[in-house]
Amino acid sequence: WHFIKLMGRSASHIALECALQTHANVTIISEEVQSKKQTLDDIVKSIVSVICQRSKKAGNFGVVLIPEGLIEFIPEMKALIAELNDLLVKEAEAFQELRGSSEQLVFVNHHLSKDASYVFSSLPASIQIQFCMDRDPHGNVQVSLIETDKLLVELVEMELRELKTEGKYHGNFSAKT
């Protein structure tokens, strides 16, 4: 499976055009995610569903198109980004004094609201670091630098492993970004 992150931070026009031209197996449209109030889990389950259906037909391959700004359109991620932006500007000095990314991640998680902390904790450590380290000159998360494609691959792999242990998925999954 190929997970391809496409240009298009604030609109999914390029992802949509690529989907029309290539007939990708999955195309995520940020505006649809936002209007349907889909969670990250909803998106992952949708991709997993397509992978499982194709696997039953001996199609252990496919393409997933992802617009680079997707993360901002997922309601719980948008709230997390807003909270992180405020926190890391307000606590910039204390944050910078900490040694190493693991201490910084604990600091951030401790200062987030309960909901934001839950979302932050559910992300792979590599993505948590990207949320905290890649800031623009105003202290905001640089969304285009977050590896949304790798985030989705990791979460899809986790979901498929769980389904495999339950005996609900029998295919082989390998992904490239």
Side-chain angles (χ1 to χ4, degrees):
W1 279 84
H2 294 273
F3 285 61
I4 302 169
K5 182 170 131 180
L6 301 162
M7 291 174 54
R9 176 164 174 210
S10 60
S12 299
H13 293 64
I14 294 172
L16 183 57
E17 184 61 29
C18 287
L20 292 170
Q21 295 297 321
T22 64
H23 305 281
N25 304 97
V26 177
T27 303
I28 302 169
I29 304 297
S30 298
E31 293 82 358
E32 284 183 5
V33 167
Q34 185 175 32
S35 71
K36 293 177 181 178
K37 296 183 169 105
Q38 290 180 307
T39 64
L40 186 56
D41 191 50
D42 293 336
I43 295 166
V44 168
K45 285 190 171 40
S46 173
I47 295 169
V48 165
S49 173
V50 171
I51 290 171
C52 288
Q53 288 171 14
R54 288 188 52 79
S55 167
K56 289 176 185 171
K57 300 175 186 171
N60 285 316
F61 56 89
V63 174
V64 179
L65 301 179
I66 307 158
E68 73 178 341
L70 170 66
I71 209 93
E72 285 183 297
F73 288 82
I74 303 169
E76 78 262 26
M77 300 305 279
K78 186 175 187 169
L80 172 62
I81 290 168
E83 201 169 316
L84 280 170
N85 286 342
D86 291 344
L87 171 67
L88 293 175
V89 166
K90 181 179 155 195
E91 299 289 342
E93 204 172 298
F95 180 77
Q96 293 303 323
E97 288 175 5
L98 297 169
R99 288 171 288 155
S101 59
S102 60
E103 282 185 24
Q104 290 175 328
L105 294 179
V106 169
F107 174 86
V108 165
N109 207 6
H110 179 71
H111 285 82
L112 292 171
S113 67
K114 182 182 175 184
D115 290 341
S117 175
Y118 176 79
V119 172
F120 188 73
S121 297
S122 72
L123 299 173
S126 61
I127 303 297
Q128 290 178 3
I129 291 168
Q130 290 174 24
F131 268 96
C132 294
M133 303 304 168
D134 296 327
R135 323 288 306 160
D136 70 12
H138 306 288
N140 298 316
V141 173
Q142 291 191 58
V143 176
S144 63
L145 298 179
I146 294 174
E147 296 174 310
T148 313
D149 49 342
K150 291 183 180 174
L151 168 64
L152 290 174
V153 166
E154 284 190 49
L155 296 175
V156 164
E157 281 178 326
M158 287 171 44
E159 183 71 20
L160 287 171
R161 263 187 256 126
E162 192 175 311
L163 289 174
K164 204 166 208 163
T165 13
E166 295 171 1
K168 297 178 182 176
Y169 174 67
H170 304 288
N172 294 315
F173 177 77
S174 101
K176 296 182 187 208
T177 57

